[in-house]
Amino acid sequence: QEVEEGLEGRERGEGGARETRGSQEDAVRWMILAGALLLLLYVGSEVSFGGYIFVYAVEYMGMEEEGGYLLNALFWGALAVGRLVAIPWSMLATSARILALDLLGSAASLAIMVVWQRSARVLWATTALFGLLMGPVFPTVMTYAEECTPLSSRHTAALVVGAAAGEMLLPAILALLFARPDLPTTPPSDSDAPAPQGAEPGEGARFGGLPWVLALDALLSLAAFGALVRAGERTKRRRREEEEEEEEREGEQEGEMVEEEGKREGGDGREREGK
């Protein structure tokens, strides 16, 4: 009877362990999905801004080509600086907080660009700010996921595939939009940028949709970040529960071993007394 009770208890423990592992795997799966979606939106926005800011500045804002080249270099340089700054910053703040500040700041910079869309000064300032804040996002997403659970090669591949998909999709969508000459735009009239020399009315206006699309992408990125944090916290909680249950099972097994050893020693003692 004691053996049967022991077997039943062991089966219940194994069943609880399997249930906990299944719940943990589901939480990890949702976290990786949210992280891949966030990287898709982030990388798509980064590549689209870097790829189209020259055309936006020259064709829509009326800058000289030299100014467009400098603006492009400013964005990529600010992004590199932001990624370097993320190293000491990560020692002072949590990964979730860094991501929240970066994504909120980048969304705010794009909103400012939309409101003052015809201001060259605003374009220079928001380009630098956007690049600086976008720099830490990719490595911080990977760090946050690793903090929640040890990443396997399959998890890492899923995150990288999400980033690669964003690199392909959003620039292609923008290219299709910019190919439409009838794209409706209503640029503000208070512009401090000169009109393109020799440009006809409405020429280059279709490129004015760039900050609008990227602002929408930033809002979706914030939603994906919220999903990532919820899934990540759930993953951490499941992981702690699994570790606690594992410790309890190890304690029970040690107790059973001690009990069996005690019974064995008691039996040996009775045999010696009988002899």
Side-chain angles (χ1 to χ4, degrees):
Q1 185 177 359
E2 293 179 357
V3 173
E4 291 179 356
E5 290 178 356
L7 291 174
E8 290 177 0
R10 189 170 300 174
E11 289 176 358
R12 287 195 298 271
E14 291 176 355
R18 285 193 296 270
E19 183 178 352
T20 303
R21 282 195 296 271
S23 179
Q24 168 74 0
E25 291 174 359
D26 290 340
V28 171
R29 191 177 297 113
W30 282 109
M31 183 195 69
I32 295 300
L33 180 62
L37 177 60
L38 176 56
L39 288 179
L40 183 150
L41 295 167
Y42 156 73
V43 175
S45 180
E46 173 191 303
V47 174
S48 297
F49 192 96
Y52 289 112
I53 189 62
F54 173 84
V55 179
Y56 177 82
V58 174
E59 297 293 337
Y60 181 74
M61 296 292 295
M63 288 186 179
E64 298 292 337
E65 289 189 358
E66 182 180 355
Y69 290 131
L70 290 174
L71 195 66
N72 198 320
L74 174 64
F75 169 71
W76 291 112
L79 190 140
V81 171
R83 196 152 291 181
L84 289 174
V85 170
I87 298 173
W89 192 10
S90 63
M91 302 177 185
L92 303 175
T94 63
S95 299
R97 181 166 297 181
I98 292 174
L99 282 173
L101 292 175
D102 284 335
L103 294 173
L104 286 171
S106 60
S109 65
L110 289 171
I112 293 172
M113 188 182 297
V114 167
V115 174
W116 288 280
Q117 192 169 0
R118 279 291 193 172
S119 172
R121 298 185 184 91
V122 169
L123 179 61
W124 284 95
T126 52
T127 296
L129 181 62
F130 184 68
L132 188 66
L133 292 171
M134 291 289 276
V137 173
F138 187 94
T140 308
V141 170
M142 304 297 289
T143 302
Y144 179 76
E146 185 68 32
E147 290 174 356
C148 295
T149 186
L151 294 180
S152 66
S153 57
R154 185 171 57 183
H155 296 153
T156 306
L159 293 173
V160 173
V161 167
E167 187 177 2
M168 293 185 295
L169 290 176
L170 190 56
I173 292 172
L174 283 170
L176 292 175
L177 288 174
F178 294 160
R180 293 178 52 193
D182 59 335
L183 188 69
T185 55
T186 54
S189 58
D190 56 341
S191 171
D192 59 359
Q197 296 181 357
E200 298 178 1
E203 184 178 352
R206 61 183 182 274
F207 298 107
L210 177 65
W212 294 85
V213 175
L214 296 182
L216 176 60
D217 181 274
L219 294 177
L220 294 176
S221 297
L222 287 171
F225 168 69
L228 173 64
V229 171
R230 286 194 298 271
E233 294 303 315
R234 189 162 57 249
T235 300
K236 291 179 180 179
R237 186 168 59 252
R238 296 288 189 270
R239 186 180 177 185
R240 286 193 300 267
E241 292 174 355
E242 185 177 357
E243 290 175 352
E244 291 173 358
E245 291 182 2
E246 183 65 26
E247 291 177 358
E248 291 178 0
R249 287 194 298 272
E250 290 177 357
E252 291 176 357
Q253 291 175 359
E254 290 177 0
E256 291 175 0
M257 291 174 62
V258 171
E259 185 178 354
E260 291 177 0
E261 186 176 352
K263 290 180 179 179
R264 192 180 304 111
E265 291 178 356
D268 294 342
R270 285 193 296 271
E271 289 180 2
R272 285 194 297 269
E273 290 176 358
K275 290 180 180 179

